[in-house]
Amino acid sequence: YLTVYDVFPFKVTNLTIHLLNGLLVFFLATALLRQLSVFERPEKPALLIAGVFLLHPLTLTSVLYIVQRMNSLSALFTLGGMLLYVKGRQQTNQIKAISMMLAAIGIGTTLSALCKENGLLLPFYCLLIEIIFFRFKSREQVQRWFLYGMYTLIVVIPLIYAGYKFLNHPGWIIGGYSGRPFTFSERVLTETRVLWFYLRLIFVPDISLMGIFHDDIPLSTSL
């Protein structure tokens, strides 16, 4: 409405979001590396990590393609949520720590998922951070019980419910594939190809493979 289809402001906005994501990657990497206590100055390797993220060709499409803003915005709230969670875990004030963790997962997941469904993975990312970097350790027993309870409520129970629902009512998910040229099992199997495709682009970037459409990936019909 404001730009009258001029694409330049769209790209400036996308670039701004990308730069903000780079800052969040830097601060998140710094906080996590500091938690490991391996580097005397964690800012240096964190700067390298953020630089790779900002300059990697694979992230170029999120800036150039207007429609890919949903990815950048979802990443913005996901990275912000992860950073807030880490800062909350490093807090000494228990009330402030619990409040920051709840806000990180509650608000972060909501805003990120409203941009793209990938945002629903934020609680799982925080759980991985907890397992790898903090290991559910805390000076206060209250905080440990809070962590156990929170992840049971937002990760374990939903996974058990989803598994139960799928086993007893498979049409809940499989039925949505009746009008598609592939089945649910074929999609799950083909995701392996997609995963290796993106891993390849991360380590061996090829700009000719970074178009917006990837409809030519062969279907996997069996292991």
Side-chain angles (χ1 to χ4, degrees), residues 70-112:
M70 60 183 178
N71 290 324
S72 297
L73 273 179
S74 183
L76 179 73
F77 296 121
T78 296
L79 289 167
M82 291 165 68
L83 179 60
L84 185 60
Y85 180 87
V86 173
K87 292 297 183 181
R89 275 300 267 125
Q90 294 171 339
Q91 270 286 334
T92 54
N93 185 302
Q94 293 301 306
I95 296 176
K96 187 179 288 187
I98 290 174
S99 299
M100 289 174 71
M101 285 187 284
L102 285 174
I105 294 179
I107 299 174
T109 303
T110 301
L111 293 175
S112 184

Side-chain angles (χ1 to χ4, degrees), residues 30-47:
T30 301
L32 291 175
L33 291 173
R34 184 171 287 124
Q35 183 65 29
L36 285 178
S37 302
V38 174
F39 298 96
E40 186 175 342
R41 295 190 63 186
E43 294 84 2
K44 288 185 177 180
L47 189 62

Side-chain angles (χ1 to χ4, degrees), residues 127-139:
L127 177 58
L128 280 175
I129 288 174
E130 185 62 48
I131 293 171
I132 296 170
F133 293 92
F134 296 98
R135 301 177 183 179
F136 290 94
K137 293 180 180 179
S138 177
R139 296 177 182 176

Side-chain angles (χ1 to χ4, degrees), residues 46-67:
L47 189 62
L48 176 63
I49 293 169
V52 171
F53 171 82
L54 283 170
L55 299 176
H56 197 287
L58 193 57
T59 58
L60 179 68
T61 55
S62 296
V63 177
L64 291 184
Y65 296 140
I66 295 168
V67 69

Side-chain angles (χ1 to χ4, degrees), residues 94-166:
Q94 293 301 306
I95 296 176
K96 187 179 288 187
I98 290 174
S99 299
M100 289 174 71
M101 285 187 284
L102 285 174
I105 294 179
I107 299 174
T109 303
T110 301
L111 293 175
S112 184
L114 285 172
C115 298
K116 194 175 182 182
E117 295 88 338
N118 295 14
L120 295 173
L121 293 173
L122 175 56
F124 295 89
Y125 295 152
C126 290
L127 177 58
L128 280 175
I129 288 174
E130 185 62 48
I131 293 171
I132 296 170
F133 293 92
F134 296 98
R135 301 177 183 179
F136 290 94
K137 293 180 180 179
S138 177
R139 296 177 182 176
E140 301 292 334
Q141 190 172 358
V142 174
Q143 191 178 85
R144 284 198 300 273
W145 282 111
F146 164 77
L147 290 168
Y148 291 138
M150 180 179 70
Y151 283 114
T152 300
L153 189 64
I154 66 174
V155 174
V156 177
I157 292 177
L159 285 178
I160 292 174
Y161 174 75
Y164 170 80
K165 188 88 171 174
F166 179 73

Side-chain angles (χ1 to χ4, degrees), residues 166 170-171 173-191 217-223:
F166 179 73
I173 292 179
I174 297 176
Y177 290 82
S178 57
R180 299 189 180 192
F182 50 84
T183 65
F184 171 74
S185 59
E186 287 174 341
R187 175 171 183 170
V188 173
L189 289 169
T190 307
E191 285 293 339
I217 294 176
L219 279 178
S220 296
T221 56
S222 69
L223 290 175

